[in-house]
C-alpha cells in the first residue's frame, strides 16, 4: 500500500525524522486556513500516488494568501498522469541549499534491507543511475545489527556529501531505517533530502510503501487508505474482482492462475516485449469474467496488442472462447489479440473462435509461439 506524501511524513515525524510543518487540505478554504496558521511563504503540493508532481505543475510556492488561493484552486482537480488531485498539502516553505536523495528498501535478492544515498537528489533517481551511477552509494543493512552509525558514515563518504552534514544525514538514515522496520515498509524514499540554507537536514518529500500483508498490525496506517487515490485502472479491476497489477509496457496480458500469468510475463519479456499488466482471471473463468477482464485491459490506452494464455484445468477453454466472442461483440477492440488455448476443451474453444471469425484474432498453439507473435504485432502497431 502506497501512502500519500503527507501520510508518509506523518510516519516520519512519529519516528523522529525532521519534516517541515504542514497541513492537509481538501478545499481552497481549508488550504487558506492552513496557510494563515503556518505563516507565509508556503508550498502548495498535490497529494497523488505518483511522482513527478513538481514537473507536472503540482507543486507551487505561494508568498501570500492571494497566491495560495490561486495555486490551491489551480492544483485541486488537476490531472497528474491519470491521477486526479483530491487533496493538497500546505507546507511551510523551505529555503533550498542542496538536494540529496535517500532511501531504504527491501532488496529481495540479497534478502536484506538496503540503504541508498546520493548527493544528486531532487531529480529522477533512475536518471541518475543511468547517467552517473557512481553518484549513488548503496549499503546493505544487517537486520540483526540494525542501522549502526558506521553505515551512515560509509554511505556519506561514498556519496561524497558535504562534510558538515555527515552526522545529521547519517542520523536521518538511522531514523528512516527505524521507521522502515517498525512500520513494516518495503520502501521509504526521501527525494529531495533537503539541506536548507542554514544547513538543517529535512525530508522535503516522502514516498512510503507499506507491506500490504502487514497492515493487520498497523490499524492507523490501514485507515489511511483511500481507494479513490489509487490507480484508476487498478480500481476498475478491483471493483470487478480481478487480480490485476498495472505495469509499464504495451502488451495486455490475461491468463488463468497466478503462476501461469507470471511465467507469461517472463516469456513475453524474453521475446522482447513489455507487458502492460498482470491479470489473473482466476480458475474456472466464466464468460462474464473474461468480458470484464478485456474491458479492464483495453482501458489502458498504451495497450497495442493483447495476449490470452489459457491453460484449461478447472477453467474450460470453450468458456473462455465464448467470453472472448462476447467481449468482441460488446467492446469491438481495435488492437490484435493472440490466443493460446491448451487443456480442457481446447479444441472446442478454438472451434468457437474459428466459427465466430473475429477480426484480428491470432491463434497460437504454444506459449512461446504466442509470445513471439504478440510482440511482433505489438511492435507493428
Ligand atoms: P515530486 O516532484 O512529486 O517529487 O515533488 P517534491 O515534493 O519532490 O517537490 C518537487 C520540487 O519542488 C523539489 O525538488 C523542490 O525543488 C521543490 N520544492 C518543494 N518544496 C519546496 C520548498 O519548500 N521550497 C522550495 N524552494 N522548493 C520546494
Ligand atoms: Mn520528490
Amino acid at each position: 500500500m502506497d501512502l500519500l506524501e503527507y501520510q508518509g511524513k506523518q510516519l516520519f515525524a512519529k519516528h523522529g525524522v525532521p519534516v517541515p510543518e504542514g497541513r492537509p487540505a481538501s478545499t481552497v478554504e481549508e488550504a487558506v486556513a492552513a496557510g494563515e496558521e503556518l505563516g507565509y511563504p508556503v508550498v502548495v503540493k498535490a497529494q497523488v500516488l505518483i511522482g513527478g508532481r513538481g514537473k507536472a505543475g503540482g507543486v507551487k510556492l505561494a508568498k501570500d494568501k492571494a497566491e495560495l488561493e490561486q495555486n490551491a484552486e489551480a492544483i485541486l482537480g488537476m490531472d497528474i498522469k491519470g491521477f486526479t488531485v483530491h487533496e493538497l498539502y500546505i507546507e511551510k516553505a523551505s529555503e533550498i541549499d542542496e538536494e540529496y536523495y535517500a532511501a531504504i528498501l527491501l532488496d529481495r535478492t540479497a534478502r536484506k534491507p538496503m540503504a541508498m544515498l546520493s548527493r544528486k537528489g531532487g531529480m529522477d533517481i533512475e536518471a541518475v543511475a543511468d547517467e552517473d551511477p557512481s553518484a549513488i552509494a548503496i549499503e546493505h543493512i544487517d537486520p540483526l545489527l540494525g542501522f549502526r552509525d558506521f553505515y551512515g558514515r560509509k554511505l556519506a563518504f561514498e556519496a561524497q556529501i558535504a562534510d558538515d552534514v555527515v552526522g545529521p544525514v547519517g542520523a536521518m538514515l538511522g531514523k528512516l531505517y527505524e521507521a522502515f522496520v517498525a512500520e513494516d515498509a518495503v520502501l521509504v524514499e526521501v527525494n529531495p533530502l533537503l539541506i536548507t540554507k542554514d544547513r538543517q537536514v529535512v525530508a522535503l518529500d516522502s514516498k512510503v510503501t507499506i507491506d500490504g500483508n502487514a497492515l493487520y498490525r498497523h490499524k492507523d496506517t490501514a485507515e489511511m487508505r483511500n481507494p479513490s487515490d489509487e490507480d484508476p485502472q487498478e480500481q476498475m479491476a478491483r471493483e470487478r474482482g480481478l487480480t490485476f497489477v498495472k505495469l509499464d509496457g504495451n502488451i495486455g496480458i490475461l491468463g488463468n492462475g497466478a503462476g501461469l500469468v507470471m511465467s507469461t510475463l517472463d516469456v513475453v519479456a524474453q521475446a522482447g516485449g513489455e507487458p502492460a499488466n498482470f491479470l489473473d482471471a482466476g480458475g474456472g473463468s466464466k464468460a462474464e469474467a473474461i468480458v470484464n477482464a478485456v474491458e479492464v485491459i483495453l482501458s489502458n490506452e498504451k495497450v497495442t496488442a493483447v495476449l490470452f494464455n489459457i491453460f484449461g484445468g478447472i477453467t474450460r477453454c470453450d468458456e473462455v472462447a465464448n467470453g472472448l466472442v462476447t467481449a468482441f461483440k460488446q467492446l469491438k477492440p481495435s488492437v490484435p489479440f493472440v490466443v493460446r488455448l491448451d487443456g480442457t476443451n481446447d479444441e472446442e474453444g478454438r472451434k468457437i473462435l474459428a466459427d465466430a471469425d473475429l477480426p484480428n484474432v491470432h491463434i497460437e498453439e504454444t506459449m512461446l509461439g504466442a509470445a513471439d507473435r504478440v510482440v511482433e504485432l505489438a511492435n507493428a502497431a
Side-chain angles (χ1 to χ4, degrees):
M1 173 193 172
D2 293 331
L3 301 186
L4 294 169
E5 174 198 1
Y6 82 89
Q7 297 169 332
K9 282 177 168 171
Q10 284 172 359
L11 292 190
F12 285 0
K14 195 169 124 189
H15 294 279
V17 178
V19 289
E21 205 186 338
R23 309 262 184 282
S26 20
T27 63
V28 176
E29 293 70 37
E30 280 175 25
V32 170
E36 297 287 298
E37 207 183 323
L38 293 166
Y40 301 96
V42 294
V43 208
V44 184
K45 306 185 81 174
Q47 297 300 291
V48 281
L49 294 175
I50 188 100
R53 296 164 301 159
K55 269 191 200 148
V59 177
K60 288 214 153 75
L61 222 66
K63 64 174 184 314
D64 54 30
K65 187 175 166 185
E67 270 189 15
L68 169 55
E69 220 158 19
Q70 194 183 340
N71 291 336
E73 201 143 336
I75 297 174
L76 271 174
M78 181 186 257
D79 177 281
I80 300 182
K81 301 178 194 168
F83 291 78
T84 308
V85 182
H86 306 297
E87 215 172 353
L88 301 172
Y89 191 47
I90 311 300
E91 194 174 71
K92 246 191 165 126
S94 308
E95 284 196 296
I96 298 182
D97 197 3
E98 293 185 83
E99 292 184 305
Y100 297 159
Y101 171 97
I104 314 281
L105 54 128
L106 193 63
D107 182 348
R108 290 176 197 277
T109 310
R111 294 186 287 177
K112 279 179 187 166
M114 180 173 118
M116 295 169 71
L117 180 66
S118 174
R119 65 179 181 281
K120 293 196 171 174
M123 52 174 129
D124 193 6
I125 195 66
E126 280 81 9
V128 179
D130 278 347
E131 288 160 21
D132 186 8
S134 71
I136 304 173
I138 291 176
E139 201 61 46
H140 285 94
I141 311 302
D142 184 329
L144 298 179
L145 279 182
F147 195 96
R148 296 302 177 92
D149 290 349
F150 74 85
Y151 286 127
R153 284 192 296 271
K154 204 159 169 231
L155 284 160
F157 179 73
E158 275 171 30
Q160 295 178 283
I161 65 168
D163 291 343
D164 65 313
V165 291
V166 168
V169 167
M172 182 190 280
L173 284 166
K175 286 174 179 151
L176 289 171
Y177 183 80
E178 267 174 44
F180 175 87
V181 173
E183 304 293 341
D184 283 314
V186 289
L187 170 72
V188 162
E189 188 186 67
V190 179
N191 189 21
L193 188 169
L194 175 68
I195 313 298
T196 65
K197 286 264 193 280
D198 46 6
R199 308 302 288 171
Q200 297 298 306
V201 177
V202 182
L204 199 60
D205 190 8
S206 90
K207 182 169 182 216
V208 176
T209 307
I210 305 290
D211 181 347
N213 292 319
L215 283 174
Y216 73 95
R217 52 184 189 192
H218 301 284
K219 294 258 161 15
D220 294 356
T221 315
E223 278 169 16
M224 289 175 173
R225 172 173 253 154
N226 180 356
S228 66
D229 285 334
E230 285 159 25
D231 180 89
Q233 203 189 4
E234 292 196 348
Q235 273 176 55
M236 182 178 178
R238 185 153 19 82
E239 281 160 14
R240 288 153 197 247
L242 298 165
T243 309
F244 178 93
V245 180
K246 187 166 184 164
L247 302 170
D248 294 331
N250 61 331
I251 299 178
I253 307 279
L254 178 143
N256 62 315
L260 180 67
V261 181
M262 281 195 264
S263 34
T264 308
L265 299 180
D266 284 346
V267 169
V268 166
Q270 210 161 27
E274 288 180 34
N277 66 273
F278 169 103
L279 194 158
D280 174 11
S285 308
K286 298 275 184 232
E288 195 195 330
I290 300 298
V291 177
N292 271 326
V294 172
E295 199 164 10
V296 170
I297 290 172
L298 295 178
S299 73
N300 178 353
E301 285 164 12
K302 274 172 81 178
V303 169
T304 55
V306 178
L307 172 58
F308 260 53
N309 189 14
I310 302 295
F311 191 84
I314 299 169
T315 302
R316 287 167 34 201
C317 292
D318 55 328
E319 279 270 7
V320 174
N322 277 324
L324 192 59
V325 172
T326 314
F328 263 72
K329 271 190 202 136
Q330 289 181 10
L331 308 169
K332 304 194 171 50
S334 56
V335 300
F337 277 59
V338 175
V339 183
R340 179 242 180 179
L341 299 173
D342 201 353
T344 311
N345 293 359
D346 53 357
E347 271 174 40
E348 288 87 333
R350 282 192 289 271
K351 183 166 186 316
I352 289 166
L353 291 179
D355 290 348
D357 194 22
L358 304 176
N360 232 343
V361 169
H362 309 258
I363 312 287
E364 286 287 336
E365 294 282 322
T366 67
M367 183 153 153
L368 287 174
D372 284 336
R373 190 69 180 272
V374 80
V375 171
E376 191 183 300
L377 289 164
N379 291 344

